[in-house]
Structures are given as C-alpha cells and as structure tokens.
Amino acid sequence: AKRGGGNQVAWFRSGMEQELTIRSELESGIRAAIPRGEIVPYFEPQVNLRDRKLTGFEVLARWEHPARGLVTPDQFIKIAEESGLIGELSLSLMRQAFTAARDWSGDLTLSVNISPWQLRDAWFAQKIIRLLTETGFPAQRLEIEITESALFDNLALAQSTLNSLKHQGVGIVLDDFGTGFSSLAHLRALPFDRIKIDRSFVASMNDHPDSAALVNAIARMGDSLNLPVIAEGVENEVLENRLRAIGIARAQGWVYGKPLSIAGARRMLAERRML
Ligand code: C2E
Ligand code: CA
Ligand code: CA
Ligand code: CA
C-alpha cells in the first residue's frame, strides 16, 4: 500500500508538471498572440430597455487562434493576469476597439472590462488617456467596467485613478454587482456612473420569481443613489419584460444579440443606418 501511495505521489507530481507545461505554453502563446493581433475585440450590443434602442457595446476579448479557432476569455484572461500580460493585452484590445468605433455614429459607447491588476498600475489612467488621444476616440464615449475585487487591495489608488478618468469624461461602471462584498461602502467611496447587475441574478429570475424582488431592490437602490442600472444576460423576452417593469434602464444579452466581430458590428450598424 505504501509503495502504491508513493507511486500515486509521483503520478500526481508529473500531473502537476504537465499542467505547468501546458500553462507555460499557454502563457508564451498569449505573449506571442498580442503583437500578432490575434486577440481581438468582440462587441455585445447594449440597449435602452424602454425602446430597445442601441446605446453601445460591451467590448469582450476573443482569441482568434490559428489552430483552435475562436477562444473565449475564460481560457486566457486569468493566465494573462497572472503572468503580467493583462495590461498589454487590454491596451491592444482597446486600441483596436477605439480605432474601429471612432467613426460609428452618434454617441454609441464602448464599455471595456478592466482587470483588478490594471488598477494597481499607477500609470493606468495616463495610459488610457494617451490611447484616447492617439486613436481620436472621445472619452465621453468610453466606459470602464470594474469589479469590486479590484478595489480591495488599494482603495486610495483606485480612487485617484477612477477620479482622474472621470474628470476626462470616462464613465465608471461597477460590474458583476451583487457578487462581491461590502458593495454599499464602495458605492459611496467611488465615482460610479452605473451599476451592472450580474447575469446570475437575471438568470435566476427565470426559476425563482422571488428573485425579482432582489433585482427590484437593486433597482430602487440605484434610483435613490442616482445610479442607472444595466442588466446583463437577458436571454429572452420574458426576462426583458420583467426587467422593464422593474424600471431597469439598460440591458444586454442574447435577446439583443451575441458578441459580434468588428465586421459583424459594422454590418449591424449599416443595416440600422448607424455607420
Ligand atoms: P462579464 O464582464 O460578466 O461579461 C459578460 C459575459 O456574459 C460575456 O462572456 C458574454 O458573452 C456573456 N453573455 C452575454 N450575454 C449573455 C446571455 O444572454 N446569456 C449568457 N449565457 N451569456 C451571456 P465572455 O465574453 O465569455 O466573457 C467572460 C468574462 O471574461 C467577462 O465576464 C469578463 O469578466 C471577462 N473578460 C472579457 N473580456 C475581457 C477583457 O478584455 N479584459 C478583462 N479583464 N476581462 C475580460
Ligand atoms: Ca463586464
Ligand atoms: Ca457578469
Ligand atoms: Ca466579470
């Protein structure tokens, strides 16, 4: 039995080593993919819930892998964060998205996901502002989405970064609301313009009509703090109607459209005469 155990440990080790190899291959893959332009922005439509009018898009990372096809962010964002590549990845993604969307009509916004790791960079605000200048994309049309976990390790730095971006006209969205801790304290301490209710709450409205009460409470809190609420993961019209009745301002989800490539977004805008 003892020898068996020993073998098991050895097997386990080699399993871990294998995992490390896969990881480091993935890491060098990401490192090479960024300058090659393989990590590209996809655009998920966001609408005004009252009239379904398009207000803009959430920018979502996709890896156009030459062998594996279109890879979703759950396969590479975490490793990009842990290997210090997320800042570079994000700037490359934003550069492509800003350049593409610069000439899209009117006041369509882009809402970009920002990793907690990026908020630890004291130069983050300057990098964004420089990129806006460089690409000619107006700050007023940019929103950044941050999660509460981003605020824990250095609230003072996050505050000063978000305040200087807001000063330039960039909107600040609290993402995945309801999944973190001490949300209420953060809502007061930081210059948010909008909160986004996490998909898990919206989805559970299907099975538990009671959880509509929770979404309703978030909406009323938003009302009293003057923070418009956006709901994500709206997959059907039943959910859409419930959210509209609750008074949620904006929504995104499959009922409005899945994330589109740059070409796909352009086609959609052309059909709507919004190019
Ligand atoms: P998230 O910020 O919560 O983004 C929403 C996710 O829900 C997206 O998944 C989107 O495709 C998916 N989704 C949208 N509508 C629906 C719907 O109606 N039903 C269902 N079932 N799903 C829907 P995606 O693109 O796979 O992104 C996953 C997560 O990866 C994002 O979650 C975000 O946290 C992260 N992510 C994506 N792009 C970036 C990025 O550029 N930087 C960073 N730091 N994180 C990113
Ligand atoms: Ca998001
Ligand atoms: Ca979410
Ligand atoms: Ca998220």
Side-chain angles (χ1 to χ4, degrees), residues 58-60 111-113 145 147 175-176 196 232 252:
E58 178 173 4
V59 177
L60 295 161
S111 205
V112 175
N113 291 287
E145 301 192 1
T147 57
D175 201 3
D176 294 343
K196 184 182 280 194
E232 67 178 3
Q252 62 183 90

Side-chain angles (χ1 to χ4, degrees), residues 166-185:
K166 184 161 177 143
H167 186 72
Q168 298 289 319
V170 175
I172 318 287
V173 180
L174 181 53
D175 201 3
D176 294 343
F177 185 78
T179 61
F181 300 99
S182 62
S183 318
L184 301 175

Side-chain angles (χ1 to χ4, degrees), residues 120-164:
R120 291 184 199 142
D121 174 4
W123 297 100
F124 176 70
Q126 272 92 332
K127 287 176 182 171
I128 300 271
I129 291 160
R130 200 190 307 141
L131 195 58
L132 289 167
T133 310
E134 196 186 302
T135 58
F137 189 78
Q140 290 71 22
R141 289 174 53 198
L142 174 64
E143 286 181 346
I144 59 170
E145 301 192 1
I146 56 172
T147 57
E148 283 169 277
S149 60
L151 310 171
F152 280 125
D153 35 74
N154 195 341
L155 187 62
L157 180 57
Q159 266 171 328
S160 90
T161 296
L162 297 179
N163 280 325
S164 44

Side-chain angles (χ1 to χ4, degrees), residues 44-231:
E44 177 168 317
Q46 297 182 320
V47 305
N48 205 320
L49 203 41
R50 231 176 309 122
D51 51 13
R52 274 195 170 198
K53 242 184 93 181
L54 189 71
T55 60
F57 300 93
E58 178 173 4
V59 177
L60 295 161
R62 295 288 182 270
W63 185 353
E64 284 176 344
H65 195 283
R68 289 196 286 156
L70 201 63
V71 181
T72 51
D74 51 302
Q75 309 280 314
F76 62 87
I77 291 290
K78 192 156 170 274
I79 291 178
E81 289 176 332
E82 290 167 0
S83 51
L85 292 166
I86 189 66
E88 195 192 328
L89 185 157
S90 175
L91 286 178
S92 152
L93 205 64
M94 281 191 267
R95 181 174 288 112
Q96 298 172 67
F98 294 172
T99 305
R102 180 176 48 205
D103 302 322
W104 295 353
S105 96
D107 32 22
L108 290 176
T109 55
L110 290 184
S111 205
V112 175
N113 291 287
I114 298 303
S115 156
W117 298 66
Q118 293 173 274
L119 283 187
R120 291 184 199 142
D121 174 4
W123 297 100
F124 176 70
Q126 272 92 332
K127 287 176 182 171
I128 300 271
I129 291 160
R130 200 190 307 141
L131 195 58
L132 289 167
T133 310
E134 196 186 302
T135 58
F137 189 78
Q140 290 71 22
R141 289 174 53 198
L142 174 64
E143 286 181 346
I144 59 170
E145 301 192 1
I146 56 172
T147 57
E148 283 169 277
S149 60
L151 310 171
F152 280 125
D153 35 74
N154 195 341
L155 187 62
L157 180 57
Q159 266 171 328
S160 90
T161 296
L162 297 179
N163 280 325
S164 44
L165 285 170
K166 184 161 177 143
H167 186 72
Q168 298 289 319
V170 175
I172 318 287
V173 180
L174 181 53
D175 201 3
D176 294 343
F177 185 78
T179 61
F181 300 99
S182 62
S183 318
L184 301 175
H186 287 143
L187 280 176
R188 256 193 342 195
L190 292 151
F192 292 112
D193 297 286
R194 188 186 307 286
I195 52 189
K196 184 182 280 194
I197 304 186
D198 190 60
R199 184 152 67 83
S200 57
F201 290 102
V202 176
S204 71
M205 288 173 75
N206 261 331
D207 313 326
H208 317 279
D210 279 358
S211 72
L214 201 61
V215 173
N216 187 57
I218 297 175
R220 301 292 77 82
M221 185 201 68
D223 285 347
S224 55
L225 294 173
N226 240 324
L227 282 173
V229 175
I230 179 165

